[in-house]
């Protein structure tokens, strides 16, 4: 009887997980590799009680991303030792990294080449419509072994022209924020949710963000910072799978696949509303204590 009950519960769970995946929800990964293993075991019908419980927790924690595109695994190159799940349909047939649970930490000396391989995989990307209006693909900037990584929304005009993230006015402010933390820009890693400039600097569409995310996920996996800072709501939404105001997401440490993640205001917003800099500084101080570095007492002036 208990066996039958457990089997039907597992079957129901498996169906639910499949359903979530078809919707484009892959936030099981937010809970780290263990949740992924648990979810996969449930799908394979071999879950232990604790794995099933873990999968239920992960599944119920999963949050739907806005308007995900349907899945297709046809354009994904086979992954050697890694477990894959079906992926989103892409606009083009260009390959993307398989969505996998985090691999073991790469030795520091291998990270630059691993990042270069991701950049090479991106190529002259035509995977979404942002390709049509961009000048340069903005891959990232900074130290491949950084302990702290910032993630913004997407390139603006200056970034599109130079091929580097955060080099315009918002970038100046970000530089000041980094300096106020007692760090140099070269010591952190900076990337965006999308790597091509959206027209008129509009917010990236969900299909654009979802198409670009596997590359950012791989960059984070390679750099493996100790702390991530999501700059603005778009970064928070796509990293954490949550929607909401910045006010509702900041002030606590989130988990992105085992990495402590702080949400704060986007520097462009702070340029429009400098009164919020004090609040952003509190967020950065939280990131600093997560990093174990001492917070200078003064807020950024900028
Ligand atoms: N805003 C962003 O979100 N990213 C950049 O790179 C520049 C401005």
């Amino acid at each position: 009887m208990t066996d039958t009950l457990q089997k039907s519960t597992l079957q129901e769970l498996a169906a639910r997980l499949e359903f979530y995946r078809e919707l484009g929800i892959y936030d099981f990964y937010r809970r780290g590799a263990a949740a992924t293993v648990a979810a996969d075991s449930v799908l394979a019908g071999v879950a232990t009680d604790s794995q099933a419980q873990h999968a239920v927790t992960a599944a119920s924690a999963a949050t739907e991303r806005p308007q995900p595109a349907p899945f297709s695994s046809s354009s994904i190159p086979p992954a050697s030792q890694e477990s894959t799940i079906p992926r989103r349909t892409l606009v083009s047939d260009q390959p993307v990294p398989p969505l996998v649970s985090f691999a073991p930490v790469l030795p520091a000396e291998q990270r630059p080449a691993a990042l270069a391989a991701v950049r090479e995989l991106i190529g002259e990307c035509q995977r979404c419509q942002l390709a049509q209006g961009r000048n340069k693909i903005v891959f990232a900037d900074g130290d491949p072994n950084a302990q702290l990584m910032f993630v913004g929304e997407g390139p603006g005009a200056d970034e599109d022209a130079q091929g580097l993230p955060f080099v315009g006015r918002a970038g100046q402010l970000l530089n000041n924020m980094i300096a106020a933390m007692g760090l140099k820009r070269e010591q952190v890693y900076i990337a965006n949710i999308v790597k091509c400039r959206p027209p008129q600097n509009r917010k990236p569409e969900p299909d654009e963000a979802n198409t670009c995310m596997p590359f950012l996920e791989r960059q984070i996996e390679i750099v493996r910072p100790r702390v991530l800072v999501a700059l603005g709501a778009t970064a928070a939404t796509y990293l954490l799978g949550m929607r909401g105001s910045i006010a509702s997401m900041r002030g606590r440490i989130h988990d992105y696949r085992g990495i402590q993640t702080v949400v704060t205001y986007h520097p462009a917003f702070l340029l429009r509303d400098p009164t919020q800099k004090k609040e952003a500084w509190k967020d950065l101080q939280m990131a600093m204590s997560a990093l174990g570095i001492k917070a200078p007492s003064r807020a950024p002036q900028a």
Side-chain angles (χ1 to χ4, degrees):
M1 177 66 183
T2 319
D3 273 5
T4 320
L5 202 71
Q6 195 183 5
K7 208 169 160 202
S8 73
T9 309
L10 285 176
Q11 277 169 351
E12 194 191 319
L13 240 180
R16 274 179 73 172
L17 288 172
E18 201 61 81
F19 174 69
Y20 284 131
R21 287 176 173 188
E22 278 167 12
L23 286 176
I25 297 167
Y26 44 90
D27 290 332
F28 313 110
Y29 286 78
R30 286 202 294 125
R31 298 284 159 136
T36 308
V37 170
D40 285 341
S41 305
V42 169
L43 288 173
V46 294
T48 63
D49 279 353
S50 78
Q51 281 174 327
Q53 184 53 47
H54 199 152
V56 175
T57 315
S60 58
T63 319
E64 186 179 346
R65 291 175 193 231
Q67 302 167 34
F71 279 148
S72 159
S73 56
S74 59
S75 58
I76 310 303
S80 42
Q81 316 117 337
E82 299 165 318
S83 69
T84 59
I85 64 168
R87 294 211 64 97
R88 307 167 279 280
T89 301
L90 300 174
V91 172
S92 81
D93 282 341
Q94 292 179 313
V96 296
L99 187 55
V100 294
S101 50
F102 269 178
V105 177
L106 262 193
E109 66 277 9
Q110 292 179 20
R111 295 180 195 179
L115 289 170
V118 178
R119 178 63 191 89
E120 203 173 313
L121 186 61
I122 293 172
E124 267 310 299
C125 190
Q126 300 292 327
R127 293 172 181 84
C128 82
Q129 67 253 20
L130 293 184
Q132 285 153 27
R134 69 140 191 268
N135 285 305
K136 290 198 173 157
I137 293 173
V138 177
F139 182 67
D141 192 25
D143 182 0
N145 298 306
Q147 307 245 321
L148 176 63
M149 176 166 174
F150 290 90
V151 177
E153 178 175 297
D158 295 305
E159 291 77 18
D160 177 62
Q162 295 186 42
L164 286 170
F166 284 99
V167 288
R169 278 188 69 223
Q172 272 306 317
L173 178 53
L174 179 60
N175 290 349
N176 293 345
M177 290 158 72
I178 294 167
M181 296 172 85
L183 297 169
K184 296 196 174 86
R185 180 176 163 119
E186 309 79 71
Q187 291 176 293
V188 305
Y189 193 80
I190 306 172
N192 281 307
I193 295 294
V194 293
K195 293 179 172 21
C196 297
R197 183 190 182 197
Q200 282 84 49
N201 298 339
R202 66 158 167 75
K203 209 197 278 208
E205 293 294 337
D207 67 308
E208 296 158 356
N210 284 327
T211 299
C212 219
M213 275 303 287
F215 301 105
L216 178 64
E217 283 160 358
R218 201 34 88 83
Q219 287 168 284
I220 297 171
E221 178 175 24
I222 292 166
V223 175
R224 205 70 66 94
R226 279 175 59 201
V227 176
L228 270 168
V229 177
L231 297 168
T234 301
T237 296
Y238 288 99
L239 283 174
L240 301 171
M242 357 167 63
R243 254 185 172 170
S245 64
I246 289 293
S248 69
M249 292 188 273
R250 54 180 293 274
R252 63 202 147 107
I253 301 270
H254 300 265
D255 173 89
Y256 171 79
R257 299 171 75 177
I259 298 173
Q260 299 184 87
T261 302
V262 169
V263 175
T264 193
Y265 295 106
H266 193 287
F269 170 78
L270 295 175
L271 288 173
R272 293 193 298 275
D273 185 357
T275 62
Q276 296 303 318
K277 282 184 187 173
K278 252 195 240 154
E279 294 303 308
W281 180 232
K282 289 183 196 160
D283 301 329
L284 297 183
Q285 285 180 307
M286 197 186 302
M288 290 163 75
S289 54
L291 279 169
I293 58 177
K294 200 167 160 338
S297 53
R298 241 164 26 95
Q301 294 305 297

